[in-house]
Amino acid sequence: MTFRKLSVPGAWEVTPKQHGDPRGVFLEVFQGDPLRAAIGHRFDLQQANCSVSAAGVLRGIHFADVPPGQAKYVTCAKGAVLDVVVDIRVGSPTFGQWDSVLLDDVDRRAIYLSEGLGHAFMSLEDDSTVLYLCSTGYSPGREHGIHPLDAEVAIAWPTTARDGSPMAPQLSAKDLAAPTLAEAVAQDLLPHYDAVQTYLGTLPA
């Protein structure tokens, strides 16, 4: 398993080693010690989620209040999604920037997102199945969103599905109603970089 830092600090692409034979494929999807070595502290798994999405479904940009925030380790068991991390930490040197990883059932990569970062993905195939390991459980009162089509963030979402057919984004009513990045700043909804860094420093190694 190898780790590659993304351009947004606090996010990593994780590539597992796959073992194949005529029966199929085996791989280790998650390894606690290598992840701890990469991120500098233990990942405290508290909840595991699964979503199944049609082609074009766009989920996010989602984030949680810090502390405690919600770190995520995300992979795609079936199909393909473009997974995106957005730096929404006010005061961060890379505030407003994003990076992406293709998660699919070929390379079987994962992405790790630290507390305080925004997360979104677009499904590139019907029935794309995404698994999320989360450091905290669901808590609606402290979870928020930013509109994923915000022109200021300017994420380059795909317009073509995995099979080459044209694709348009499909958003939930909640995500459609989410504020832009500028509106979220004005409403003081976003995590602050210094507070996130302070909180991360309290996590057990």
Side-chain angles (χ1 to χ4, degrees):
M1 184 170 282
T2 59
F3 291 79
R4 179 178 69 88
K5 289 183 178 180
L6 299 183
S7 61
V8 173
W12 283 260
E13 174 192 85
V14 185
T15 303
K17 184 176 182 180
Q18 301 189 60
H19 305 274
D21 62 28
R23 300 170 300 163
V25 175
F26 174 85
L27 65 147
E28 295 172 336
V29 174
F30 174 84
Q31 294 179 329
D33 286 343
L35 179 63
R36 178 169 56 185
I39 68 177
H41 59 82
R42 182 169 57 86
F43 178 69
D44 185 17
L45 173 60
Q46 292 296 320
Q47 183 169 306
N49 302 331
C50 176
S51 68
V52 181
S53 303
V57 167
L58 177 50
R59 300 181 186 269
I61 304 164
H62 299 151
F63 65 97
D65 293 335
V66 181
Q70 187 182 66
K72 297 177 181 177
Y73 186 95
V74 185
T75 191
C76 182
K78 177 186 177 185
V81 303
L82 183 71
D83 200 281
V84 174
V85 54
V86 184
D87 192 344
I88 57 167
R89 301 166 297 190
V90 175
S92 168
T94 54
F95 177 74
Q97 296 182 27
W98 61 273
D99 203 348
S100 65
V101 175
L102 176 65
L103 305 180
D104 62 18
D105 52 16
V106 177
D107 295 319
R108 305 184 190 278
R109 292 189 176 95
I111 185 172
Y112 174 81
L113 305 95
S114 179
E115 292 86 348
L117 296 176
H119 176 245
F121 72 81
M122 175 180 272
S123 172
L124 307 180
E125 180 177 292
D126 286 344
D127 297 324
S128 290
T129 303
V130 174
L131 304 174
Y132 322 60
L133 305 182
C134 303
S135 65
T136 57
Y138 177 61
S139 178
R142 61 177 180 81
E143 299 190 14
H144 312 282
I146 295 168
H147 202 296
L149 303 180
D150 180 6
E152 181 181 356
V153 182
I155 298 171
W157 293 113
T159 57
T160 304
R162 201 180 192 188
D163 63 5
S165 61
M167 188 175 63
Q170 302 177 48
L171 280 68
S172 69
K174 182 178 179 180
D175 288 342
L176 279 170
T180 65
L181 184 65
E183 290 169 342
V185 171
Q187 297 169 27
D188 197 26
L189 290 177
L190 303 179
H192 287 254
Y193 181 75
D194 289 344
V196 171
Q197 297 305 108
T198 298
Y199 174 71
L200 292 177
T202 68
L203 297 179

